[in-house]
Structures are given as C-alpha cells and as structure tokens.
Amino acid sequence: MWLTITHDQLRTAPAPDLCRELMTHEPQERQVSQTLTVSFKGREFDVSALENLVVGEKLMVTYNPYAPDSACVVDTAADGTELLHTVPLVLRNEVGFREDANVILETMAAMPTHGPTPTAS
C-alpha cells in the first residue's frame, strides 16, 4: 500500500523543536473573549466558527503541527470521542486592525450567531 501514496498525500514533519514540544505538551485551557477569540502561545485565534460558543467559556487549545497559522480546539463528541477543530490565526494589519474586519461603507455584517434566535415578547 505504501507504493499507492501519491506525492500530494505526503506531509513533511514539523521542525524538530515543535516535534519535541508536541511530545510533552498538553492542551491548555483558554477563555473565549468578547471578540470570539482565544489567545494561545502569544497569538490570537478566531473561534467564531465553532457552534454553541459562549463568551467566557473555557476551551482546550493545542498546536496544529501541520498548519502553523492555526491552532486546534479539543472537544468531546456525544459518544466520548475526541474531536479537533482547526481555528485560524487572527491576522492584523500594520496599525493593529483585523485583516478580516468589516470596512465602513463597503461591508456590513454581524458576528455569526449559533444559539437560538431571540423572540419578541
């Protein structure tokens, strides 16, 4: 079966320092900020795409060894299996604004909502 692997399916191992870190690293608990991000290893990651997320909630975050500009959020499925959700790095421009931010008079979009829609009483 090894001979059926194509070049596109191969992955290069991460740098030796990261491999050592992966062997000893445990996922770290991080709190979801008001902007739906978490900080991990001095960087900020966008968790807004995760469902049923609450500001202030604690998430377990770890490295993504194959995508240096992302992290993994460790979750548990209903059947008890471990799930890894890839979350992207928040990129900022030279003055500190998010590169994916809305631009005044060009785009208007609210943050995604994953919970129930509020109803009028």
Side-chain angles (χ1 to χ4, degrees), residues 103-114:
V103 177
I104 296 173
L105 299 177
E106 288 184 21
T107 56
M108 295 288 288
M111 291 291 287
T113 59
H114 298 291

Side-chain angles (χ1 to χ4, degrees), residues 25-31 38-41 45 47 59-63 71-74 87:
H25 173 79
E26 291 286 328
Q28 297 178 358
E29 187 176 81
R30 294 292 186 251
Q31 187 171 1
V38 293
S39 63
F40 177 68
K41 294 293 184 181
F45 295 91
V47 295
L59 301 175
M60 299 303 289
V61 182
T62 190
Y63 294 102
C72 287
V73 172
V74 182
V87 292

